Short mmCIF file of all heavy atoms in Angstrom, two decimals:
data_model
loop_
_atom_site.label_atom_id
_atom_site.label_comp_id
_atom_site.label_asym_id
_atom_site.label_seq_id
_atom_site.Cartn_x
_atom_site.Cartn_y
_atom_site.Cartn_z
N LEU A 13 11.44 0.58 -5.96
CA LEU A 13 10.70 1.62 -6.71
C LEU A 13 9.23 1.34 -6.65
O LEU A 13 8.41 2.23 -6.40
CB LEU A 13 11.13 1.77 -8.20
CG LEU A 13 12.53 2.35 -8.35
CD1 LEU A 13 12.92 2.26 -9.86
CD2 LEU A 13 12.58 3.77 -7.89
N LEU A 14 8.83 0.14 -6.87
CA LEU A 14 7.43 -0.28 -6.76
C LEU A 14 6.88 -0.02 -5.36
O LEU A 14 5.72 0.59 -5.23
CB LEU A 14 7.27 -1.83 -7.11
CG LEU A 14 5.86 -2.35 -7.02
CD1 LEU A 14 4.87 -1.66 -7.98
CD2 LEU A 14 5.86 -3.88 -7.22
N ARG A 15 7.61 -0.38 -4.35
CA ARG A 15 7.22 -0.07 -2.95
C ARG A 15 7.08 1.39 -2.65
O ARG A 15 6.05 1.79 -2.09
CB ARG A 15 8.21 -0.67 -1.99
CG ARG A 15 7.90 -0.32 -0.52
CD ARG A 15 9.03 -0.71 0.41
NE ARG A 15 10.40 -0.39 0.03
CZ ARG A 15 10.91 0.78 0.16
NH1 ARG A 15 10.28 1.86 0.57
NH2 ARG A 15 12.17 1.03 -0.34
N ILE A 16 7.97 2.24 -3.17
CA ILE A 16 7.93 3.67 -2.88
C ILE A 16 6.66 4.27 -3.57
O ILE A 16 5.95 5.08 -2.96
CB ILE A 16 9.16 4.31 -3.35
CG1 ILE A 16 10.36 3.92 -2.44
CG2 ILE A 16 9.04 5.87 -3.36
CD1 ILE A 16 11.82 4.23 -2.97
N ILE A 17 6.44 4.02 -4.88
CA ILE A 17 5.32 4.55 -5.58
C ILE A 17 4.01 4.09 -4.99
O ILE A 17 3.08 4.79 -4.75
CB ILE A 17 5.48 4.22 -7.08
CG1 ILE A 17 6.69 4.86 -7.64
CG2 ILE A 17 4.20 4.64 -7.79
CD1 ILE A 17 6.74 6.36 -7.56
N THR A 18 3.92 2.77 -4.67
CA THR A 18 2.72 2.23 -4.10
C THR A 18 2.43 2.81 -2.76
O THR A 18 1.28 3.16 -2.45
CB THR A 18 2.84 0.77 -4.02
OG1 THR A 18 3.19 0.10 -5.26
CG2 THR A 18 1.53 0.10 -3.45
N GLY A 19 3.46 3.04 -1.93
CA GLY A 19 3.33 3.63 -0.62
C GLY A 19 2.83 5.07 -0.72
O GLY A 19 2.00 5.49 0.10
N LEU A 20 3.40 5.82 -1.67
CA LEU A 20 3.00 7.23 -1.74
C LEU A 20 1.47 7.31 -2.25
O LEU A 20 0.73 8.09 -1.79
CB LEU A 20 3.84 7.92 -2.80
CG LEU A 20 5.27 8.21 -2.34
CD1 LEU A 20 6.11 8.75 -3.47
CD2 LEU A 20 5.25 9.27 -1.23
N LEU A 21 1.11 6.40 -3.21
CA LEU A 21 -0.29 6.43 -3.56
C LEU A 21 -1.20 6.01 -2.43
O LEU A 21 -2.32 6.60 -2.33
CB LEU A 21 -0.50 5.50 -4.80
CG LEU A 21 0.16 5.83 -6.09
CD1 LEU A 21 0.02 4.76 -7.18
CD2 LEU A 21 -0.47 7.19 -6.62
N PHE A 22 -0.82 5.07 -1.61
CA PHE A 22 -1.62 4.65 -0.42
C PHE A 22 -1.73 5.82 0.56
O PHE A 22 -2.72 6.14 1.13
CB PHE A 22 -0.97 3.48 0.11
CG PHE A 22 -1.83 2.67 1.03
CD1 PHE A 22 -3.09 2.12 0.58
CD2 PHE A 22 -1.55 2.40 2.34
CE1 PHE A 22 -3.96 1.36 1.37
CE2 PHE A 22 -2.38 1.61 3.15
CZ PHE A 22 -3.56 1.10 2.69
N LEU A 23 -0.54 6.47 0.80
CA LEU A 23 -0.45 7.60 1.68
C LEU A 23 -1.49 8.72 1.26
O LEU A 23 -2.16 9.35 2.08
CB LEU A 23 0.94 8.19 1.73
CG LEU A 23 1.23 9.44 2.45
CD1 LEU A 23 0.86 9.41 3.87
CD2 LEU A 23 2.64 9.87 2.25
N GLU A 24 -1.59 8.96 0.03
CA GLU A 24 -2.48 9.93 -0.59
C GLU A 24 -3.88 9.61 -0.17
O GLU A 24 -4.77 10.54 0.15
CB GLU A 24 -2.33 10.03 -2.11
CG GLU A 24 -3.28 11.06 -2.74
CD GLU A 24 -3.18 11.12 -4.19
OE1 GLU A 24 -2.92 10.08 -4.84
OE2 GLU A 24 -3.37 12.19 -4.77
N HIS A 25 -4.32 8.38 -0.25
CA HIS A 25 -5.70 7.92 0.17
C HIS A 25 -5.95 8.31 1.62
O HIS A 25 -7.02 8.80 1.95
CB HIS A 25 -5.86 6.47 -0.04
CG HIS A 25 -6.19 6.07 -1.45
ND1 HIS A 25 -7.39 5.95 -2.00
CD2 HIS A 25 -5.28 5.81 -2.52
CE1 HIS A 25 -7.31 5.66 -3.30
NE2 HIS A 25 -6.13 5.53 -3.58
N GLY A 26 -4.98 8.03 2.49
CA GLY A 26 -5.09 8.46 3.88
C GLY A 26 -5.20 9.88 4.09
O GLY A 26 -5.95 10.41 4.93
N MET A 27 -4.44 10.65 3.42
CA MET A 27 -4.41 12.18 3.49
C MET A 27 -5.76 12.71 3.13
O MET A 27 -6.19 13.58 3.69
CB MET A 27 -3.28 12.72 2.76
CG MET A 27 -1.92 12.46 3.37
SD MET A 27 -0.44 13.13 2.50
CE MET A 27 -0.94 14.25 1.33
N ILE A 28 -6.37 12.19 2.03
CA ILE A 28 -7.67 12.60 1.55
C ILE A 28 -8.71 12.45 2.67
O ILE A 28 -9.48 13.30 2.93
CB ILE A 28 -8.09 11.84 0.31
CG1 ILE A 28 -7.22 12.43 -0.90
CG2 ILE A 28 -9.58 12.00 0.03
CD1 ILE A 28 -7.39 11.65 -2.18
#
Side-chain angles (χ1 to χ4, degrees):
L13 289 176
L14 177 63
R15 176 189 43 79
I16 292 165
I17 296 302
T18 306
L20 288 171
L21 291 171
F22 200 58
L23 171 61
E24 182 182 31
H25 282 266
M27 289 178 14
I28 287 171

